[in-house]
């Protein structure tokens, strides 16, 4: 299994002559361990299903779900073999809630059901895989320096069709729908802007090679100064060299970039000598399609633990920016401390947001107490995907960041998370799953605006 939220099947390119023969057959061998796990778990019609939660081959967990129409039935192959680290299902609903159904075994096969393969055929295929292709697959994976490339996953319905014994349908592979893949970066920014750019560009290129369509960077991706004076001296305008370099990188890699917290010298820099904390969204042509300036500034004094006053050198942003359509969905922009204010996430959702972004630099004290709880709460109450790129580790002598970059789905499940240190995590955005949750539990339409009003984005905020 690869990083959380990524496809576990990978293809590789050889780096030496000894692996050349293996490389010829590797694209096939890469998929056969999954087929083998399916065959090992195959049960004949009428045999009892494995209990829910029972571990299957290679650590797979068998989970009985419900059909799209709500009728009990067996899970598709893609869910039956889904590892615990990437939950993609709704938990059992409570009494009276949409989708409430008791776990049930597969329905009996009817006259119109497809005929299952015979035990003899399964045994023969299993023997071929075990004796030939699986050893080849294992030996090739040990080749040093291999370059990994993502093999996109299929939707559940297509996976079931492809793995069934139905007759071959021309063009079915071309018709297979793919879900957009996003990549979320975890960084340890320092006062060294060149080093930070080198780290960011390396992660962005890696994410692009893996097939990500949007790459999210954390707050202060450009630098984290050791004091206020250094921070102000290193800040740039949006027309400066730093943003131009990221625009070139977006064009080179053909990806969308969420630059989640740039130290911006605004138009009022000459008069105020204060900066903005600016979240930019760049398209694959390098154009800036949205700029959101942080509206909630972090002025916190936890005695003996954390003390910061962002308002000493930063101007608050004047407005909320409407969600932007991207290949992954409609993205709503926010930054770090905004996470503690549900009003902004509700306002963005009212405007059609499907993905909420909170690029951050939480401290260890506040992160260990509140980080995951806040992210999951925003996802649950808005029924949006929540993407949170984060700073991690020691940024300078007087600051350490919490890390734990993560992606939360609309049901509140953490579907991707970075481990310690700089790196990437990946997640597929399933808008069909999002719409299903909103359809089965339409909390947005259940709000009592007649009792407590409605949170909306002010198109023209009043002057301060």
């Amino acid at each position: 299994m690869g990083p959380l939220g990524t496809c576990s099947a990978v293809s590789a390119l050889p780096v030496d002559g000894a692996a050349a023969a293996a490389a010829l057959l590797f694209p096939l061998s890469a998929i056969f361990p999954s087929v083998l796990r399916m065959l090992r778990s195959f049960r004949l019609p009428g045999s009892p299903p494995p209990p829910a939660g029972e571990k299957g081959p290679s650590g797979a967990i068998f989970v009985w779900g419900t059909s799209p129409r709500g009728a009990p039935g067996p899970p598709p192959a893609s869910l039956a073999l889904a590892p615990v680290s990437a939950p993609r299902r709704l938990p059992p609903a409570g009494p009276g809630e949409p989708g409430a159904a008791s776990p049930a075994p597969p329905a009996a096969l009817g006259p119109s059901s497809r005929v299952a393969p015979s035990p003899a055929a399964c045994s023969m295929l299993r023997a071929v895989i075990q004796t030939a292709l699986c050893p080849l697959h294992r030996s090739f994976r040990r080749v040093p320096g291999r370059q990994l490339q993502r093999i996109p996953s299929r939707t559940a319905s297509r996976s079931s069709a492809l793995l069934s014994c139905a007759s071959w349908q021309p063009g079915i592979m071309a018709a297979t729908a793919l879900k957009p893949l996003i990549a979320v970066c975890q960084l340890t920014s320092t006062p060294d802007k060149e080093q930070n750019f080198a780290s960011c560009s390396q992660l962005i290129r890696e994410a692009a090679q893996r097939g990500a369509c949007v790459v999210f960077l954390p707050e202060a991706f450009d630098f984290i100064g050791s004091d206020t004076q250094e921070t102000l001296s290193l800040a740039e305008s949006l027309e400066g060299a730093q943003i131009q370099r990221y625009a070139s990188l977006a064009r080179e890699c053909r990806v969308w970039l969420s630059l989640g917290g740039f130290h911006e010298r605004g138009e009022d820099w000459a008069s105020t000598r204060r900066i903005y904390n600016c979240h930019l969204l760049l398209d694959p042509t390098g154009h800036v399609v949205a700029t959101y300036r942080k509206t909630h500034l972090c002025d916190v004094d936890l005695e003996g633990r954390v003390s910061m006053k962002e308002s000493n050198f930063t101007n608050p942003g004047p407005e909320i920016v409407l969600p932007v359509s991207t290949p992954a969905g409609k993205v709503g922009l926010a930054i770090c401390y905004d996470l503690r204010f549900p009003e902004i996430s509700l306002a963005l959702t009212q405007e059609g947001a499907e993905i909420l972004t909170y690029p951050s630099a939480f401290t260890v004290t506040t992160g260990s107490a509140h980080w995951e709880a806040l992210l999951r709460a925003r996802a649950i109450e808005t029924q949006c995907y929540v993407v949170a790129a984060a700073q991690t580790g020691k940024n300078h002598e007087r600051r350490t960041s919490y890390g734990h970059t993560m992606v939360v789905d609309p049901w509140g499940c953490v579907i991707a998370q970075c481990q310690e240190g700089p790196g990437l995590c990946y997640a597929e955005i399933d808008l069909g799953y999002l719409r299903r949750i909103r359809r089965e539990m339409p909390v947005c339409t259940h709000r009592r605006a007649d009792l407590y009003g409605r949170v909306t984005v002010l198109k023209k905020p009043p002057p301060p």
Side-chain angles (χ1 to χ4, degrees), residues 225-228 394-400:
S226 56
D227 55 42
T228 299
K394 192 171 185 178
N395 305 106
H396 53 71
E397 291 300 323
R398 296 186 292 110
R399 180 187 172 86
T400 301

mmCIF file of all heavy atoms in Angstrom, residues 225-228 394-400:
data_model
loop_
_atom_site.group_PDB
_atom_site.id
_atom_site.type_symbol
_atom_site.label_atom_id
_atom_site.label_comp_id
_atom_site.label_asym_id
_atom_site.label_seq_id
_atom_site.Cartn_x
_atom_site.Cartn_y
_atom_site.Cartn_z
ATOM 1 N N GLY A 225 9.917 33.701 9.037
ATOM 2 C CA GLY A 225 10.971 34.540 9.607
ATOM 3 C C GLY A 225 11.164 34.282 11.094
ATOM 4 O O GLY A 225 10.242 33.862 11.792
ATOM 5 N N SER A 226 12.370 34.558 11.568
ATOM 6 C CA SER A 226 12.679 34.331 12.982
ATOM 7 C C SER A 226 12.166 35.450 13.870
ATOM 8 O O SER A 226 12.077 35.277 15.084
ATOM 9 C CB SER A 226 14.190 34.164 13.168
ATOM 10 O OG SER A 226 14.881 35.289 12.645
ATOM 11 N N ASP A 227 11.841 36.614 13.280
ATOM 12 C CA ASP A 227 11.261 37.719 14.056
ATOM 13 C C ASP A 227 10.487 38.619 13.099
ATOM 14 O O ASP A 227 10.505 38.432 11.875
ATOM 15 C CB ASP A 227 12.338 38.501 14.813
ATOM 16 C CG ASP A 227 13.458 39.009 13.912
ATOM 17 O OD1 ASP A 227 13.158 39.490 12.794
ATOM 18 O OD2 ASP A 227 14.632 38.908 14.312
ATOM 19 N N THR A 228 9.794 39.599 13.661
ATOM 20 C CA THR A 228 8.951 40.481 12.855
ATOM 21 C C THR A 228 9.763 41.250 11.826
ATOM 22 O O THR A 228 9.352 41.374 10.649
ATOM 23 C CB THR A 228 8.203 41.464 13.761
ATOM 24 O OG1 THR A 228 7.367 40.725 14.667
ATOM 25 C CG2 THR A 228 7.347 42.417 12.941
ATOM 26 N N LYS A 394 10.917 21.917 13.101
ATOM 27 C CA LYS A 394 11.570 23.114 13.617
ATOM 28 C C LYS A 394 11.821 24.115 12.503
ATOM 29 O O LYS A 394 12.683 23.923 11.658
ATOM 30 C CB LYS A 394 12.889 22.721 14.293
ATOM 31 C CG LYS A 394 13.512 23.833 15.116
ATOM 32 C CD LYS A 394 14.687 23.307 15.929
ATOM 33 C CE LYS A 394 15.251 24.379 16.845
ATOM 34 N NZ LYS A 394 16.368 23.875 17.683
ATOM 35 N N ASN A 395 11.066 25.215 12.517
ATOM 36 C CA ASN A 395 11.210 26.251 11.491
ATOM 37 C C ASN A 395 12.384 27.181 11.776
ATOM 38 O O ASN A 395 13.037 27.661 10.862
ATOM 39 C CB ASN A 395 9.923 27.067 11.386
ATOM 40 C CG ASN A 395 8.699 26.189 11.121
ATOM 41 O OD1 ASN A 395 7.884 25.976 12.017
ATOM 42 N ND2 ASN A 395 8.585 25.660 9.918
ATOM 43 N N HIS A 396 12.625 27.450 13.037
ATOM 44 C CA HIS A 396 13.816 28.189 13.478
ATOM 45 C C HIS A 396 13.975 27.950 14.975
ATOM 46 O O HIS A 396 13.246 27.126 15.556
ATOM 47 C CB HIS A 396 13.734 29.686 13.139
ATOM 48 C CG HIS A 396 12.491 30.381 13.619
ATOM 49 N ND1 HIS A 396 12.237 30.646 14.950
ATOM 50 C CD2 HIS A 396 11.418 30.875 12.940
ATOM 51 C CE1 HIS A 396 11.081 31.273 15.078
ATOM 52 N NE2 HIS A 396 10.565 31.414 13.865
ATOM 53 N N GLU A 397 14.907 28.622 15.587
ATOM 54 C CA GLU A 397 15.262 28.310 16.976
ATOM 55 C C GLU A 397 14.098 28.477 17.939
ATOM 56 O O GLU A 397 14.033 27.808 18.968
ATOM 57 C CB GLU A 397 16.429 29.198 17.429
ATOM 58 C CG GLU A 397 17.750 28.888 16.741
ATOM 59 C CD GLU A 397 18.198 27.463 17.004
ATOM 60 O OE1 GLU A 397 17.985 26.971 18.133
ATOM 61 O OE2 GLU A 397 18.738 26.829 16.091
ATOM 62 N N ARG A 398 13.149 29.360 17.613
ATOM 63 C CA ARG A 398 12.088 29.660 18.566
ATOM 64 C C ARG A 398 10.719 29.168 18.124
ATOM 65 O O ARG A 398 9.715 29.529 18.747
ATOM 66 C CB ARG A 398 12.041 31.177 18.825
ATOM 67 C CG ARG A 398 13.297 31.713 19.492
ATOM 68 C CD ARG A 398 13.199 33.171 19.879
ATOM 69 N NE ARG A 398 13.138 34.045 18.710
ATOM 70 C CZ ARG A 398 12.051 34.711 18.340
ATOM 71 N NH1 ARG A 398 10.941 34.585 19.017
ATOM 72 N NH2 ARG A 398 12.079 35.489 17.262
ATOM 73 N N ARG A 399 10.682 28.350 17.073
ATOM 74 C CA ARG A 399 9.367 27.885 16.607
ATOM 75 C C ARG A 399 9.434 26.458 16.089
ATOM 76 O O ARG A 399 10.314 26.093 15.303
ATOM 77 C CB ARG A 399 8.834 28.783 15.494
ATOM 78 C CG ARG A 399 7.467 28.295 15.002
ATOM 79 C CD ARG A 399 6.953 29.024 13.788
ATOM 80 N NE ARG A 399 5.764 28.350 13.305
ATOM 81 C CZ ARG A 399 4.529 28.567 13.745
ATOM 82 N NH1 ARG A 399 4.320 29.472 14.678
ATOM 83 N NH2 ARG A 399 3.511 27.882 13.266
ATOM 84 N N THR A 400 8.439 25.650 16.518
ATOM 85 C CA THR A 400 8.247 24.290 16.012
ATOM 86 C C THR A 400 6.784 24.136 15.626
ATOM 87 O O THR A 400 5.890 24.511 16.403
ATOM 88 C CB THR A 400 8.630 23.236 17.060
ATOM 89 O OG1 THR A 400 9.996 23.420 17.433
ATOM 90 C CG2 THR A 400 8.434 21.835 16.514
#
